[in-house]
Amino acid sequence: MVDHRAKNPIQHGGNQANIRARLKLGNRPLLDFSAPLNALGPPPVALAAVRAATETIDRYPEPNSPRLVERLAEFHGVPTDQIIVGAGTTELINLIGQMVRETAGRRRRSFGVPKPPAAHLIEPSYGEYRRTSAQNGMRTKIWDEHVLGWAQETFPEGKRGVFWTGHPNNPSGRAWDRTRLLNLVDRSPSLMTVVDEAYLPFLPDEAKRTLIGATSTRDNLIVLRSMTKIYAFPGLRIGYAVASPDIVAMLRRSQQPWTVTTAAEVAAIAAVDDSDYLRRTVELIRTESARLTERLWDLPGLRPLWPGRQRPSFAPPMANFVVCSLIDTPWTSPQLQDALARRGIFVRECSNYRGLEIGSVVTGPGQAHHTRGHLRFCVRNPAENDLLVETLADVMASESVLLRSREEVPVLSGFRRWRLRAR
């Protein structure tokens, strides 16, 4: 069944204008922990390239960003005809949805296949996968998996349609074992597997986990990369996909001209060349993700989204964000998000991720925890991460008494909405 509600625009992190207007914060400074961007900020060489690009705003960008494609092909060691650049991975996700729909339409006309294609998902995951699938008339199939876990395991082996998966996944942070995932891809030739590696460059073992090198010999594999996240320039909107030449050609046929600006292209080229920036990024995340998570474990009412505090050696490295459940606390995630914003800290409230709604139960092997919502924190520099933890501790301890005067009652229909009722 096609989920028509999923066609609606969804909430994302980083929307400061919305929370400022809703809470009447005006121009008060907000430290943004809501969007998982590189804590180092944009590379200086990229900023310089953007400034220089203002001299060319009287000319159209070159279609298909050939200079950036050539540089990315060199960077990843693949031919140029395997790369397509777009205005962020969101545009590319949409192009993939169109491609799957059109391919299924041709099969339906030729062979009389009665059903629309299936979109296979493991949730919680990035909401644009489901939205794009619904916009392109796909049936949504959700595969059950424990929310609490160290790595990703579930795969719709042998199915048809498209399988969307993050690597690591947003918001859980779990990554795939490369060998296992490739074996599953190879055993499912009729399934288009889309591996979103938007956050993989933050991991120290990226080189042994990425599937980019496997795309040249497979027509059922697409790898997505976001330059927004790793280089911290979301305002430029740029990402790319790596796939077989035939898939790239099909995607390019549906792409509108000039979706990537000249400024975005030159900034991306400059950023890719800054190897020292990537090295410093990986080192920062290696140390700060673990340290921030440890400190969050010490806060009563917060539980980082893992099976346990001790991380085993086989678990993938941590991403540049941490999701926490609210457990055994009077706070709900929307209340805590608002309270932190009034203290100058903006975090991601996660109740619009399916499976992380207020009142949801998160499960793992032998575990089940009733939650009052979830918050996601991106990893910033040490001083800012310490400020986050200290403010969380202060807010949750000093203001929780205000919440005890009212009770939250779950509404079981719809998306488990909650209403406030005075005692």
Side-chain angles (χ1 to χ4, degrees), residues 181-214:
L181 182 53
L182 275 180
N183 287 338
L184 291 166
V185 169
D186 290 341
R187 294 203 296 265
S188 304
S190 298
L191 182 71
M192 179 63 71
T193 299
V194 183
V195 181
D196 189 344
E197 296 186 355
Y199 299 101
L200 193 64
F202 291 98
L203 272 57
D205 62 351
E206 173 208 8
K208 77 173 188 179
R209 290 190 183 272
T210 182
L211 274 71
I212 285 178

Side-chain angles (χ1 to χ4, degrees), residues 191-242:
L191 182 71
M192 179 63 71
T193 299
V194 183
V195 181
D196 189 344
E197 296 186 355
Y199 299 101
L200 193 64
F202 291 98
L203 272 57
D205 62 351
E206 173 208 8
K208 77 173 188 179
R209 290 190 183 272
T210 182
L211 274 71
I212 285 178
T215 56
S216 60
T217 56
R218 293 167 175 85
D219 282 327
N220 63 331
L221 176 64
I222 302 173
V223 175
L224 297 174
R225 282 289 179 110
S226 169
M227 307 194 80
T228 289
K229 308 298 189 303
I230 189 64
Y231 296 117
F233 39 56
L236 293 178
R237 308 306 309 135
I238 191 159
Y240 56 99
V242 187

Side-chain angles (χ1 to χ4, degrees), residues 80-205:
T80 56
D81 60 1
Q82 282 191 237
I83 295 179
I84 177 173
V85 175
T89 55
T90 302
E91 183 200 1
L92 298 164
I93 288 168
N94 187 261
L95 290 176
I96 293 167
Q98 293 178 48
M99 180 188 71
V100 172
R101 181 193 66 203
E102 292 165 4
T103 301
R106 288 194 295 269
R107 188 169 61 247
R108 189 178 299 117
R109 289 190 296 271
S110 300
F111 304 105
V113 178
K115 293 181 180 180
H120 301 273
L121 296 163
I122 297 166
E123 295 186 325
S125 63
Y126 185 47
E128 294 296 340
Y129 307 149
R130 182 190 277 259
R131 183 168 183 247
T132 289
S133 300
Q135 288 175 330
N136 287 281
M138 299 184 211
R139 296 172 291 122
T140 303
K141 167 63 177 174
I142 306 301
W143 291 77
D144 292 332
E145 185 176 63
H146 288 303
V147 176
L148 304 176
W150 295 113
Q152 301 195 95
E153 297 291 338
T154 303
F155 188 95
E157 187 175 349
K159 301 299 181 180
R160 292 181 176 271
V162 60
F163 174 46
W164 306 94
T165 184
H167 178 46
N169 181 54
N170 171 25
S172 67
R174 291 183 293 187
W176 284 95
D177 174 82
R178 182 182 186 275
T179 300
R180 170 175 166 74
L181 182 53
L182 275 180
N183 287 338
L184 291 166
V185 169
D186 290 341
R187 294 203 296 265
S188 304
S190 298
L191 182 71
M192 179 63 71
T193 299
V194 183
V195 181
D196 189 344
E197 296 186 355
Y199 299 101
L200 193 64
F202 291 98
L203 272 57
D205 62 351

Side-chain angles (χ1 to χ4, degrees), residues 247-270:
I247 291 176
V248 168
M250 284 189 284
L251 294 174
R252 189 162 282 141
R253 283 198 293 269
S254 298
Q255 189 175 35
Q256 299 298 319
W258 311 304
T259 61
V260 175
T261 66
T262 301
E265 183 181 17
V266 297
I269 293 171

Side-chain angles (χ1 to χ4, degrees), residues 239-391:
Y240 56 99
V242 187
S244 71
D246 288 344
I247 291 176
V248 168
M250 284 189 284
L251 294 174
R252 189 162 282 141
R253 283 198 293 269
S254 298
Q255 189 175 35
Q256 299 298 319
W258 311 304
T259 61
V260 175
T261 66
T262 301
E265 183 181 17
V266 297
I269 293 171
V272 169
D273 288 333
D274 193 346
S275 58
D276 181 64
Y277 176 89
L278 288 178
R279 180 191 58 76
R280 289 186 293 118
T281 296
V282 170
E283 187 55 37
L284 173 68
I285 300 307
R286 186 203 306 266
T287 57
E288 279 303 295
S289 287
R291 194 180 72 87
L292 175 60
T293 303
E294 274 296 302
R295 295 207 62 190
L296 290 170
W297 270 106
D298 291 333
L299 297 182
L302 278 182
R303 186 185 191 281
L305 198 58
W306 308 109
R309 187 165 186 166
Q310 299 303 315
R311 195 173 183 87
S313 59
F314 63 80
M318 293 182 179
N320 64 319
F321 52 86
V322 182
V323 176
C324 288
S325 304
L326 292 172
I327 298 174
D328 297 329
T329 173
W331 289 94
T332 64
S333 48
Q335 291 168 341
L336 191 50
Q337 181 195 42
D338 287 357
L340 289 169
R342 293 187 177 99
R343 297 284 193 100
I345 290 182
F346 181 29
V347 300
R348 174 68 154 92
E349 198 278 314
C350 296
S351 59
N352 73 320
Y353 282 102
R354 295 173 191 248
L356 301 184
E357 300 92 346
I358 303 168
S360 61
V361 178
V362 294
T363 63
Q367 300 186 55
H369 301 280
H370 294 263
T371 75
R372 291 171 64 77
H374 299 77
L375 295 175
R376 187 187 70 194
F377 312 109
C378 77
V379 177
R380 297 182 64 96
N381 66 47
E384 292 168 335
N385 294 333
D386 288 342
L387 178 62
L388 168 68
V389 175
E390 292 160 8
T391 306

